[in-house]
């Protein structure tokens, strides 16, 4: 029996008839239809035939429905490359000029520059001729005699003291107070409230003994001296002068 050439790309239930025999494609194989044969023993498997040529590609089936949208990804995708810089836009219109600001405060005046050098002295002019000596004028009248000045204070007496302390009294004004003791001696000037000496009163003191004399000023008053308020040695003297109320100065041979 000659070989049967079945269609290469049949659809299910397609039939193929050769002579008085008809076959139907089951999707797996071609089966005969319309005959009832007694089934004989299975013959030996024939040799595998050559592979037939590939059938033509079937038509594309209809597109299936769109599937459900998948869940959002939690992974951030890579950043895309930066695009090229766009061209520079045209320059805008220049705005109006702002109002002028207030003038700043004047700066400090700079230091005065150094004085320039003194210019050279000009030449002396020629000496003028001597003028004619005038005649002597008449003698003017003698002026009145001025008032007599105050008498200078004089030491009229001496007040000799031999103790180690002594405070001046009013009768010591314009006199000398001698101080004689082998030990140190302190002489005190009283306050104006105790003894009101006139301003300008003087008292001279003299150390006649070995004991050094120290002078103290009026309590709460002013007492000036230099270099110190002590008589320097035996036979040293000093003058105490009242310059104002409770203000005295000591001048003489003193020491610290």
């Amino acid at each position: 029996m000659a070989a049967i050439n079945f269609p290469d790309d049949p659809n299910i239930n397609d039939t193929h008839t050769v002579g008085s025999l008809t076959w139907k494609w089951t999707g797996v194989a071609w089966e005969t239809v319309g005959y009832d044969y007694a089934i004989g023993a299975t013959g030996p498997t024939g040799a595998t035939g050559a592979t037939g040529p590939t059938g033509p590609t079937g038509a594309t089936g209809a597109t299936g429905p769109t599937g459900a949208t998948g869940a959002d990804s939690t992974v951030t995708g890579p950043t895309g490359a930066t695009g090229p810089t766009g061209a520079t836009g045209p320059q805008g219109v220049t705005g109006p000029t702002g109002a002028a600001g207030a003038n700043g405060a004047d700066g400090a005046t700079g230091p005065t520059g150094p004085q320039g050098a003194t210019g050279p002295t000009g030449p002396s002019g020629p000496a003028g001729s001597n003028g004619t000596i005038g005649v002597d004028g008449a003698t003017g009248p003698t002026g009145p005699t001025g008032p007599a000045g105050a008498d200078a204070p004089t030491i009229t007496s001496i007040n000799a003291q031999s103790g180690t302390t002594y405070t001046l009294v009013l009768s010591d004004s314009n006199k000398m107070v001698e101080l004689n003791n082998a030990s140190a001696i302190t002489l005190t000037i009283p306050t104006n409230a105790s003894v009101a000496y006139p301003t300008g009163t003087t008292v001279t003191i003299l150390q006649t003994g070995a004991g050094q004399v120290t002078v103290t000023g009026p309590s709460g008053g002013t007492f000036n001296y230099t270099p110190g308020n002590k008589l320097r040695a035996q036979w040293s003297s000093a003058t105490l002068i009242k310059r104002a109320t409770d203000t005295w100065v000591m001048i003489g041979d003193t020491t610290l």
Side-chain angles (χ1 to χ4, degrees):
M1 182 174 180
I4 300 173
N5 293 324
F6 292 100
D8 293 330
D9 189 18
N11 293 320
I12 295 175
N13 294 324
D14 283 356
T15 60
H16 180 69
T17 300
V18 176
S20 60
L21 298 176
T22 299
W23 290 265
K24 183 168 64 177
W25 177 250
T26 66
V28 176
W30 291 95
E31 292 183 353
T32 58
V33 294
Y35 294 94
D36 187 14
Y37 297 99
I39 299 172
T42 302
T45 301
T48 301
T51 301
T54 301
T57 301
T60 301
T63 301
T66 302
T69 302
D72 292 338
S73 173
T74 59
V75 178
T76 303
T79 303
T82 302
T85 303
T88 302
Q91 181 174 338
V93 178
T94 302
T97 302
N103 291 332
D106 292 337
T109 302
T112 303
Q115 181 173 338
T118 304
T121 303
S124 301
S129 59
N130 294 328
T132 303
I133 297 174
V135 298
D136 293 336
T139 302
T142 302
T145 302
D151 294 334
T154 59
I155 297 175
T156 59
S157 63
I158 297 174
N159 178 7
Q161 294 292 321
S162 59
T164 56
T165 61
Y166 180 69
T167 300
L168 295 177
V169 295
L170 186 60
S171 61
D172 290 325
S173 298
N174 304 321
K175 294 182 180 180
M176 177 182 286
V177 177
E178 291 185 355
L179 302 160
N180 182 11
N181 197 290
S183 299
I185 302 169
T186 300
L187 183 141
T188 302
I189 301 172
T191 63
N192 192 74
S194 298
V195 179
Y197 292 107
T199 298
T201 295
T202 63
V203 178
T204 300
I205 59 174
L206 173 65
Q207 178 182 322
T208 60
Q212 188 175 36
V213 177
T214 300
V215 181
T216 60
S219 176
T222 301
F223 183 38
N224 300 113
Y225 44 82
T226 185
N229 64 331
K230 297 179 180 181
L231 295 182
R232 183 177 58 82
Q234 187 176 13
W235 305 115
S236 292
S237 67
T239 300
L240 305 175
I241 305 172
K242 182 175 182 180
R243 301 177 59 245
T245 301
D246 287 332
T247 301
W248 290 74
V249 62
M250 181 167 67
I251 302 171
D253 188 11
T254 62
T255 186
L256 296 173

